[in-house]
Amino acid sequence: MDNKLISGKVVSAQIKEQVKQEVDFLNSKGVYPKLSVIIVGENPASQSYVKGKHKDCGECGIISDNIAMPETISQAELLAEIDRLNKDDSVHGILVQLPLPKHIDEYAVINTIAPEKDVDGFTAVNVGNMNIGKDCFTPCTPQGCIDMLDYAGIDMTGKDVVVIGRSNIVGKPVAVLALQRSATVTICHSKTKNIAEKTRMADIVIVAVGRAGFLTGDMLKPGAVVIDVGINRNSEGKLCGDADFDSCIDVVSRITPVPGGVGLMTRANLLKNTIKSAKNCLK
Ligand code: GUN
């Protein structure tokens, strides 16, 4: 079984080693990479993700600061804070943890971040540049999916890739990145008729629906590759993905585990994007 797993631990550790070396180099040139993270409210999942991001930065020598704002903050106050960070030359990356409280317009917030500091790759400028294949910050989770396929030596050229989920954070951008690798891409979502019919044709299934055990082994072609983006808790409180691991493992050629899979790659790519931004200071 173990040789079927594509380990996020192994791939992200490799990325972190590269990041550390780049930080040393930047420090030697007087550049001290810094990420500012804004978190609004007390969402426990967001708090846990943000904690992980700061831990990773610390391990790699990236300075990170945490800007915690109350749930009741006004949109104007939040935008003013982003504006302050945009103008602060010591800050290379700005991340506003999502979701935001309902009274705040997520689109307005994201697009106040200067595109050159948008290490999440969520601003309209970065999304647009990604879509036309120009240099940009690619979003961390989709890029993490592609990195894992690369690490596993899986060439996407001409492969049938089925993406399940059409979110702006994962489904849509990972479909674009797969298309750029010359895959034939199908995007399935909640209104898709007979998803299993589509997934059974796929060489690679990327599942990002946020529902534990959604993708089962009988929905797969033998030898398919599964990239599982889900982070859910099952009825026993155990972390699990969107793929039903036990029924998929006998059918797939490769699969990413949860935990220890794509989630770690999201974190690693945030570090990579922060370094990419800091390097622009050398130009
Ligand atoms: N919430 C869930 N995933 C993400 C992410 O990748 N970035 C941000 N900013 N918020 C998130």
Side-chain angles (χ1 to χ4, degrees):
M1 177 193 100
D2 278 357
N3 59 1
K4 288 191 174 187
L5 298 184
I6 311 175
S7 165
K9 277 188 202 155
V10 172
V11 190
S12 69
Q14 211 176 51
I15 292 175
K16 281 165 95 171
E17 274 314 308
Q18 280 165 8
V19 166
K20 274 186 214 170
Q21 286 177 19
E22 307 242 36
V23 170
D24 286 345
F25 171 74
L26 285 162
N27 287 171
S28 76
K29 303 281 179 198
V31 176
Y32 299 90
K34 180 173 170 183
L35 173 70
S36 290
V37 180
I38 298 179
I39 177 165
V40 180
E42 314 265 324
N43 180 326
S46 291
Q47 284 177 329
S48 154
Y49 291 142
V50 165
K51 207 170 139 193
K53 290 167 187 178
H54 288 302
K55 179 169 171 277
D56 292 336
C57 284
E59 284 168 8
C60 293
I62 294 175
I63 302 164
S64 67
D65 69 354
N66 194 56
I67 301 162
M69 296 181 143
E71 184 88 18
T72 51
I73 190 127
S74 72
Q75 181 167 317
E77 285 169 295
L78 178 52
L79 297 187
E81 184 60 22
I82 294 170
D83 197 43
R84 184 186 71 75
L85 296 170
N86 283 341
K87 291 177 179 145
D88 182 342
D89 288 341
S90 75
V91 174
H92 304 97
I94 302 170
L95 182 148
V96 179
Q97 186 65 29
L98 303 176
L100 289 167
K102 290 211 165 38
H103 67 279
I104 293 178
D105 175 358
E106 191 177 288
Y107 179 86
V109 170
I110 288 171
N111 287 293
T112 299
I113 300 171
E116 64 275 14
K117 295 190 181 189
D118 168 30
V119 286
D120 254 331
F122 288 171
T123 57
V125 170
N126 279 308
V127 173
N129 281 331
M130 182 185 68
N131 271 271
I132 57 173
K134 289 285 179 197
D135 184 47
C136 63
F137 290 113
T138 54
C140 302
T141 303
Q143 187 62 52
C145 296
I146 303 295
D147 291 348
M148 290 182 106
L149 290 166
D150 283 347
Y151 180 82
I154 297 159
D155 181 4
M156 304 179 81
T157 310
K159 296 270 169 67
D160 288 314
V161 172
V162 168
V163 176
I164 315 177
R166 56 172 158 176
S167 71
N168 289 330
I169 294 186
V170 185
K172 275 188 240 173
V174 83
V176 169
L177 294 178
L179 181 61
Q180 278 168 5
R181 298 298 185 92
S182 299
T184 303
V185 184
T186 304
I187 306 176
C188 298
H189 48 78
S190 54
K191 299 287 189 287
T192 300
K193 287 176 285 173
N194 207 340
I195 290 185
E197 207 172 78
K198 312 271 189 301
T199 53
R200 277 190 209 112
M201 305 286 285
D203 302 305
I204 300 168
V205 179
I206 302 173
V207 59
V209 289
R211 278 167 61 183
F214 178 85
L215 182 73
T216 47
D218 62 321
M219 295 168 73
L220 297 170
K221 171 166 93 174
V225 175
V226 171
I227 305 293
D228 188 351
V229 183
I231 302 177
N232 313 294
R233 289 202 185 266
N234 67 10
S235 50
E236 291 136 44
K238 204 175 139 233
L239 271 188
C240 59
D242 289 348
D244 173 40
F245 191 86
D246 291 343
S247 67
C248 289
I249 189 71
D250 291 332
V251 186
V252 297
S253 60
R254 308 297 300 271
I255 186 168
T256 62
V258 179
V262 176
L264 295 172
M265 299 302 300
T266 302
R267 288 165 56 174
N269 274 302
L270 178 63
L271 303 171
K272 257 199 319 198
N273 280 347
T274 305
I275 294 304
K276 181 180 163 94
S277 174
K279 272 186 174 168
N280 287 335
C281 293
L282 297 176
K283 286 179 188 161

